[in-house]
Amino acid sequence: MKRKLIYESLAILLFISFLGVSCSSLKPLKQSNFAVTPSPLETVGNKIPVTVNGIFPEKWFNANATVSITPVLKYAENKESESTAYTFQGEKVAGNATVIPKDRGGNFTMIFSFPYQPEMNVSELFVRFDAKIKNKPVKLPEIKVANGVIATSTLASALSTKPSVADDGFQKIIKQTQDANILFLIQNAALRQSELNKEGLAAWKKRVEEAYKDPKQNIYIEVSAYASPDGGVSLNEKLAAEREKNTTEYLEKELKKKNIDTEVNAHYTAEDWEGFRQLVQASDLQDKDLILRVLEMYPDPETREQEIKNISFVYEELAETILPQLRRSRLIANIEIIGKTDEEIMSFWENDPQKLSVEELLYATTLTDDPAQKERIYQYVTVNFPQDYRGWNNIGTLFYERGEISKAQQAFQRAIQVAPDAPEANMNMALIALLNNENDKAEELLGKASQAKDIDGALGLLYLKNGDYNKAVAAFGNTKSNNAALAQLLIKDYSRASETLVNITNPDATTAYLQAVIAARTNKYAEVLSNLQTAIIRDKSMAKRAANDLEFAKYHTDRDFIALTKQ
């Protein structure tokens, strides 16, 4: 009897112990214990950033429990992507995890992201539990906390971004200037034979004659006579005028001998202080900085002259080296060389390309809309001017626009080998990097491309892919492109985005698809259907995208929408 009572007591104690353990076991949490932002999920660049705010209810967390929560995105057929687990522990557990008091419970936040893949558009976000109490596993069911991914930001495309073409240096009119000086003795306006016989003056007259006789050159002649700043202003005024008169008369006689009938524009400057400053600045005078300060401090010519003369040890050197060069008449031949006409350039290209310069060849590509013709010209440039990076870069842009990315990359790399700092080639290599989602590499390359033409599109795309939409909008400026409109859409500036899309020169399927997204966000049902129809006509794959796109979630049961996207 006594033994029976002992057994009964032990049974009661075991039952009470069982009740105690079962009451302290972890119970399944509910979906309402979790709030997901954003919901549905949404891509930022090429990632899916998620914030989950959760709550452990009062009395839920066992003091001896450890609970790890892992976010899991399930998609396609049996595919899933796990993010980093967050671990929590009870008050009696020795560890470094976040402690959750049993009596009060607690709130928690998990911030994580998934690398985006197109299959994730149709997906479900779960939280998965790994729990134990005193090293004994406790099974908790996983909980679905969000549906699907809005992937509108992934419509950003490097392929639709315009690559940078290096400009030609062709000028229809090339301006040249040829100078010659005739020097005079101090306080004298007479022309000296020694000056008139100088080689420089002979070369100047020869160049004038060549220009005048060439029907593709125009010439304008100018005479500027000067007196040096030493001496009184009235004396220098008279002296400079006489030098101008004597030089002009001499020049007109010389031009007449060669039957050159062109006007000579003559003028004089009484005291050539500007010429004085330039010569002093370029000299190796010991105290030139002191002289330059005097010029700045004293605007009055007579005061200037006196102050400079007061520096006696400097003035002697000035009188020997600087002032004699200012007693002169300057002969200036302004020449305009008229380049080949567009017709001449294309005729030479077709019949005798060797007579074209590299600048003329590169310019020739702007005279045709035929990509094959452009490619032939660039090929010719790369063969005959292999050290000019522009031929390699520009042929690469043709490959890029045709979608021949491997060939484009090889051409851009060759351009960089020839000219490592070529801004256009570096920008185009940045586009290749963005195409491969190598954003850091693209940013480095764009740092070398600040002077590249059309860099706004590449910079805007980089900011788009980094999820910095406001910077993207600023970088695009007034660019009319799908990417620019997408950036405006993502900051919810729907009016501006619509205007951008309407003004795109060559709209494509993405253009119409973005217009449909804007229509859906602004509740314009008819425009949703009409724009989607246009997008699908241009690219049939848009039907499948729209059918699964949560941008159009409220239309997924609409009969007309289903009929349109069921292709």
Side-chain angles (χ1 to χ4, degrees), residues 155-157 482 501 507-515 535 538-539 542:
L155 288 168
S157 172
N482 290 335
L501 292 167
D508 57 12
T510 301
T511 310
Y513 195 90
L514 289 172
Q515 289 172 316
R538 293 172 179 170
D539 181 354
M542 288 296 189

Side-chain angles (χ1 to χ4, degrees), residues 7-72:
Y7 287 148
E8 288 177 351
S9 299
L10 287 171
I12 291 169
L13 287 172
L14 286 170
F15 178 72
I16 292 171
S17 175
F18 171 77
L19 286 177
V21 171
S22 64
C23 289
S24 62
S25 294
L26 304 174
K27 298 179 180 179
L29 291 171
K30 301 177 181 179
Q31 189 180 46
S32 59
N33 292 116
F34 299 88
V36 179
T37 305
S39 185
L41 308 182
E42 187 170 355
T43 56
V44 175
N46 287 303
K47 293 183 179 180
I48 307 171
V50 189
T51 299
V52 174
N53 291 301
I55 183 170
F56 293 117
E58 295 177 2
K59 308 296 183 181
W60 185 88
F61 215 104
N62 188 291
N64 293 304
T66 301
V67 178
S68 292
I69 303 178
T70 302
V72 182

Side-chain angles (χ1 to χ4, degrees), residues 162-168 389-390 393-394 397 412 415-416 419-431 445-446 448-455 458:
K162 185 178 181 181
S164 184
V165 177
D167 286 335
D168 61 85
Y389 80 91
R390 294 174 296 177
N393 177 80
N394 293 1
T397 65
F412 297 147
I416 289 176
D421 295 324
E424 299 87 357
N426 278 286
M427 190 200 103
N428 294 332
M429 282 300 294
L431 291 181
L445 288 163
L446 288 174
K448 302 176 183 178
S450 59
Q451 301 303 313
K453 187 170 66 174
D454 299 316
I455 193 173

Side-chain angles (χ1 to χ4, degrees), residues 232-516:
V233 175
S234 59
L235 173 63
N236 287 335
E237 183 90 18
K238 181 180 178 182
L239 194 57
E242 290 179 358
R243 288 172 177 170
E244 179 266 303
K245 177 177 175 293
N246 292 344
T247 303
T248 302
E249 289 177 351
Y250 163 77
L251 186 56
E252 288 176 343
K253 290 178 182 178
E254 292 297 303
L255 295 174
K256 190 174 182 180
K257 290 178 185 178
K258 299 293 184 179
N259 294 316
I260 298 174
D261 183 15
T262 185
E263 184 179 350
V264 177
N265 182 16
H267 51 87
Y268 63 87
T269 300
E271 295 189 338
D272 189 11
W273 284 107
E274 178 57 26
F276 178 80
R277 186 192 65 76
Q278 291 175 0
L279 288 174
V280 170
Q281 181 70 58
S283 72
D284 57 0
L285 289 170
Q286 184 176 354
D287 292 288
K288 69 177 183 181
D289 291 338
L290 177 59
I291 299 170
L292 293 172
R293 282 198 299 272
V294 168
L295 295 180
E296 292 177 2
M297 292 172 60
Y298 302 102
D300 178 65
E302 292 185 0
T303 306
R304 276 181 175 177
E305 182 182 355
Q306 187 56 51
E307 289 296 327
I308 291 172
K309 284 182 177 179
N310 288 341
I311 314 172
S312 58
F313 62 91
V314 174
Y315 190 77
E316 291 180 7
E317 191 171 355
L318 286 173
E320 290 180 5
T321 60
I322 302 296
L323 296 178
Q325 298 180 64
L326 301 174
R327 302 169 189 135
R328 74 196 193 282
S329 284
R330 182 182 172 207
L331 280 60
I332 307 162
N334 297 302
I335 301 168
E336 292 180 347
I337 303 173
I338 303 170
K340 296 181 180 71
T341 66
D342 294 353
E343 293 75 16
E344 287 173 332
I345 287 175
M346 293 310 292
S347 176
F348 277 119
W349 161 245
E350 292 168 0
N351 300 299
D352 196 359
Q354 291 184 346
K355 290 186 177 178
L356 293 175
S357 69
V358 66
E359 305 301 343
E360 291 167 336
L361 285 162
L362 292 172
Y363 175 70
T365 64
T366 69
L367 302 177
T368 177
D369 294 325
D370 181 5
Q373 177 87 304
K374 289 177 185 283
E375 184 175 345
R376 286 194 296 272
I377 297 173
Y378 287 138
Q379 288 281 15
Y380 183 88
V381 171
T382 59
V383 170
N384 292 276
F385 303 92
Q387 294 307 308
D388 193 315
Y389 80 91
R390 294 174 296 177
W392 299 106
N393 177 80
N394 293 1
I395 198 170
T397 65
L398 294 180
F399 298 146
Y400 185 89
E401 289 172 340
R402 291 206 300 257
E404 298 177 20
I405 304 305
S406 178
K407 290 175 69 175
Q409 184 171 357
Q410 291 175 11
F412 297 147
Q413 287 173 335
R414 184 63 186 271
I416 289 176
Q417 287 176 0
V418 172
D421 295 324
E424 299 87 357
N426 278 286
M427 190 200 103
N428 294 332
M429 282 300 294
L431 291 181
I432 300 288
L434 289 170
L435 197 61
N436 296 324
N437 294 318
E438 298 172 333
N439 293 6
D440 291 342
K441 182 178 179 180
E443 186 170 2
E444 180 183 348
L445 288 163
L446 288 174
K448 302 176 183 178
S450 59
Q451 301 303 313
K453 187 170 66 174
D454 299 316
I455 193 173
D456 290 351
L459 277 175
L461 177 61
L462 174 65
Y463 293 136
L464 259 180
K465 284 185 167 287
N466 284 338
D468 199 334
Y469 302 141
N470 285 301
K471 275 190 177 180
V473 169
F476 283 124
N478 293 319
T479 300
K480 306 302 180 187
S481 69
N482 290 335
N483 289 339
L486 175 60
Q488 293 155 1
L489 183 159
L490 292 171
I491 65 168
K492 298 180 171 58
D493 191 345
Y494 303 131
S495 175
R496 188 176 174 190
S498 295
E499 181 184 357
T500 297
L501 292 167
V502 167
N503 286 285
I504 289 176
T505 305
N506 297 305
D508 57 12
T510 301
T511 310
Y513 195 90
L514 289 172
Q515 289 172 316

Side-chain angles (χ1 to χ4, degrees), residues 71-91:
V72 182
L73 191 66
K74 297 184 179 183
Y75 59 98
E77 294 183 5
N78 301 318
K79 289 185 179 181
E80 61 179 43
S81 178
E82 287 190 353
S83 187
T84 304
Y86 281 70
T87 302
F88 309 90
Q89 65 186 40
E91 297 164 287

Side-chain angles (χ1 to χ4, degrees), residues 548-567:
N548 296 319
D549 194 340
L550 293 181
E551 291 280 12
F552 308 111
K554 57 189 173 185
Y555 305 113
H556 282 176
T557 57
D558 179 82
R559 183 175 58 187
D560 293 334
F561 180 89
I562 293 172
L564 181 63
T565 57
K566 195 174 183 179
Q567 297 189 23

Side-chain angles (χ1 to χ4, degrees), residues 105-123:
N107 299 324
F108 61 93
T109 298
M110 301 190 297
I111 300 173
F112 52 92
S113 69
F114 299 102
Y116 171 74
Q117 298 179 41
E119 295 170 300
M120 293 176 175
N121 289 2
V122 180
S123 58

